[in-house]
Amino acid sequence: MTNHRVIDGKAIAAEVREGVAREVARLESAYGFRPGLAVVLVGEDPASKVYVKNKGEQTKASGMNSWEHKLPAEASEAEVLAIVDKLNRDPAVNGILVQLPLPKHVNAEKVLNTIDPDKDVDGFHPVNVGRLWVGERTLVPCTPTGSVILAKSVAPSLAGMNAVVIGRSNIVGKPVAALLLRENCTVTVAHSRTRNIQSVVKGADLVVAAVGIPEMVRGDWVKPGAIVIDVGINRVPGEAGKTKLVGDVAYDECARVAGAITPVPGGVGPMTIACLLQNTVEAAKIQRGIKG
Ligand code: NAD
């Protein structure tokens, strides 16, 4: 018997997208412009192509302008930088997203650091990382924002909770930690060198797993009643020679103990693009000095 609550990321992402569409319509009627997102794709990585297509479709569905700039895998770093520079200077473009991974001969850090911080809808630019930690208005990375929205869907105030973030990457773990600190959690960041990680996790009222190890977090790691947010997306062998997706959390075991838990798929995954759309609107407002 289980009494946990499954957090429905698909439904919550749909609500976020509806909010974005309303705000886009409001901006158009109040200020006479439509926010726009430009996505740059270099090469033919199949997963990246799917992501870029989905981002474009959802951007248009929310009423915003969407542009795709596709470059061949052999494109030089200078060519990628030239496109970013052009988009930086185009006032119709409010958000710029360079799809990762970039080909090896292109320095991803250099490209990302060239994006105008106010158009950096991925929130990866060091200026935005700094603004996040300082507590200024900024563009926050999408998957971390989505993870915190899901946690708050079951506990509107996270204040005072012991939160354990597993993983310290720049794109997930660290920004999640910054956001949870902003929510007044007591935050612990666990990582590959953490000792007795199981006992660290056991103290958590809120666990965010962003590791990339299939089903690492077991049922007996989780404190009864804890909120478990699973960011992991791992492809493992499934039935009949097919692959299936699992998270970084052993779902069935943890669901028996947790108070609320996100599934994979259908948890954090759908939130990422929804939060990207939200960031594009926020970027447009920051650029035009529109409050709220
Ligand atoms: P990463 O490889 O950059 O970072 C993994 C982190 O896990 C590192 O900081 C490392 O210290 C930590 N780690 C590694 N082994 C560990 C161990 N044994 N114990 C504790 N910590 C350990 O990965 P990432 O980019 O942060 O992504 C993490 C997971 O989230 C992946 O499964 C990825 O596919 C997924 N992801 C999902 C979304 C989404 O939209 N839902 C977005 C980004 C990443």
Side-chain angles (χ1 to χ4, degrees), residues 7-262:
I7 303 174
D8 185 348
K10 247 172 120 174
I12 296 170
E15 283 170 22
V16 171
R17 287 198 303 272
E18 280 160 24
V20 168
R22 278 195 301 274
E23 187 63 359
V24 168
R26 185 186 78 83
L27 289 174
E28 187 157 26
S29 68
Y31 300 95
F33 79 99
R34 265 171 199 245
L37 172 65
V39 178
V40 179
L41 174 65
V42 186
E44 300 287 330
D45 179 70
S48 294
K49 280 163 112 173
V50 174
Y51 292 144
V52 167
K53 184 167 163 275
N54 290 342
K55 284 168 186 171
E57 283 171 4
Q58 294 190 29
T59 304
K60 284 181 211 142
S62 69
M64 291 192 277
N65 293 319
S66 160
W67 302 275
E68 278 177 27
H69 295 268
K70 292 185 179 159
L71 291 172
E74 320 74 72
S76 67
E77 185 178 287
E79 284 174 282
V80 181
L81 291 172
I83 288 213
V84 172
D85 183 51
K86 191 169 144 240
L87 297 172
N88 278 344
R89 285 184 283 107
D90 184 342
V93 174
N94 301 112
I96 303 170
L97 184 144
V98 177
Q99 184 64 48
L100 300 177
L102 287 167
K104 287 204 170 52
H105 64 275
V106 179
N107 182 337
E109 195 180 325
K110 190 168 172 191
V111 172
L112 296 182
N113 290 356
T114 303
I115 298 174
D116 177 343
D118 286 347
K119 296 191 176 187
D120 166 39
V121 281
D122 258 337
F124 295 156
H125 194 290
V127 166
N128 287 327
V129 176
R131 286 177 180 159
L132 172 63
W133 283 98
V134 169
E136 284 177 18
R137 186 180 188 187
T138 188
L139 299 167
V140 180
C142 304
T143 303
T145 302
S147 303
V148 173
I149 292 173
L150 294 184
K152 291 181 78 173
S153 75
V154 290
S157 170
L158 305 177
M161 284 190 184
N162 284 331
V164 173
V165 182
I166 318 175
R168 57 172 161 184
S169 73
N170 289 328
I171 65 169
V172 190
K174 284 182 199 163
V176 166
L179 286 174
L180 291 177
L181 199 54
R182 206 162 80 174
E183 294 292 333
N184 299 309
C185 292
T186 302
V187 181
T188 303
V189 181
H191 49 78
S192 51
R193 305 284 184 90
T194 298
R195 292 194 194 125
N196 301 323
I197 193 160
Q198 175 175 349
S199 62
V200 172
V201 174
K202 194 84 186 181
D205 305 304
L206 167 61
V207 183
V208 181
V211 193
I213 298 178
E215 303 183 320
M216 184 182 99
V217 177
R218 311 305 310 189
D220 59 359
W221 294 27
V222 174
K223 177 169 157 180
I227 301 169
V228 178
I229 307 292
D230 188 354
V231 183
I233 301 178
N234 308 289
R235 245 166 239 288
V236 297
E239 281 168 26
K242 291 190 176 151
T243 59
K244 63 170 183 171
L245 285 186
V246 297
D248 292 341
V249 170
Y251 183 83
D252 291 339
E253 286 177 19
C254 293
R256 274 184 221 119
V257 190
I261 186 165
T262 60

